[in-house]
Amino acid sequence: MTGPFAIPVRDLVHRAGEMREHSFEVPAPEKWGEGLVSVAEGETVAVDVRLESVHEGILVSGDVDTEYTGVCGRCLTDIAQGLQVEFQELFAYPGEDEADFEVQDDHVDLETLVREAVVLSLPFQPVCQPDCPGLDPATGERLTESAGAELSQPADPRWAALQDFTPDVPRSRGDDPTEES
């Protein structure tokens, strides 16, 4: 056996219909993910797995619970959120047919399978909260901290006439034609 994600299956090999369940927690052996968020090296990865012997090999179904950390894609605030992932894969018996995963030396090694499931489930554009307003394009401050502050210039003067159709939006200075300079 190699690594903390390897599970012995000697008692299941070539016994179609047999089933066993395992639960274990291991630290992530390395950083998983390269985007704005990732699972840090050493972060606890909890795995609940069911191994079922079928004619072609060992069918592995399971759930992974862990936590990812990184920054919000809108306001760049640090975030840490839990992640739950389901996976299922057939570990084929060694033979003539090529398979992505194989039973090796009477064990199945789940590390690659678990890592791929976790990395593919990480959000591409993570947010600290679903309605995160992001950063103010003019000042660079978080909009949640500077809520209510008026812009000194309109976003684009060509659109200023459209503000007449949205009376609930405060006008920027210099937009009101009745205002004297």
Side-chain angles (χ1 to χ4, degrees):
M1 242 176 31
T2 59
F5 288 91
I7 300 175
V9 293
R10 183 181 305 251
D11 58 333
L12 294 175
V13 173
H14 298 293
R15 294 186 180 176
E18 293 286 324
M19 190 261 310
R20 206 163 19 115
E21 294 181 341
H22 286 278
S23 293
F24 58 93
E25 290 184 1
V26 294
E30 59 189 11
K31 177 183 165 188
W32 289 350
E34 294 296 325
L36 293 175
V37 293
S38 62
V39 175
E41 181 177 349
E43 181 64 44
T44 300
V45 178
V47 180
D48 291 320
V49 66
R50 184 165 87 188
L51 307 166
E52 298 176 72
S53 181
V54 295
H55 291 289
E56 299 84 12
I58 306 292
L59 180 65
V60 177
S61 307
D63 299 311
V64 177
D65 289 320
T66 190
E67 183 176 272
Y68 64 81
T69 56
V71 295
C72 174
R74 294 182 189 162
C75 69
L76 305 177
T77 302
D78 290 339
I79 57 174
Q81 294 183 0
L83 179 69
Q84 295 180 326
V85 183
E86 293 181 2
F87 62 88
Q88 185 173 46
E89 188 65 50
L90 177 68
F91 281 75
Y93 294 128
E96 296 120 29
D97 296 336
E98 289 247 352
D100 291 337
F101 297 97
E102 288 186 348
V103 175
Q104 297 175 348
D105 301 325
D106 292 332
H107 75 273
V108 292
D109 191 352
L110 305 179
E111 183 174 352
T112 301
L113 177 61
V114 170
R115 181 183 64 242
E116 287 177 359
V118 167
V119 170
L120 290 174
S121 296
L122 291 173
F124 183 67
Q125 288 293 325
V127 290
C128 58
Q129 57 192 21
D131 58 344
C132 176
L135 299 175
D136 184 321
T139 65
E141 295 178 17
R142 289 184 59 209
L143 287 174
T144 55
E145 294 173 356
S146 63
E150 288 188 31
L151 293 173
S152 59
Q153 296 293 323
D156 187 339
R158 295 173 290 182
W159 297 100
L162 294 177
Q163 286 185 332
D164 295 336
F165 296 106
T166 56
D168 56 334
V169 176
R171 290 176 175 254
S172 299
R173 286 183 293 191
D175 284 350
D176 192 351
T178 62
E179 211 177 75
E180 291 184 25
S181 299

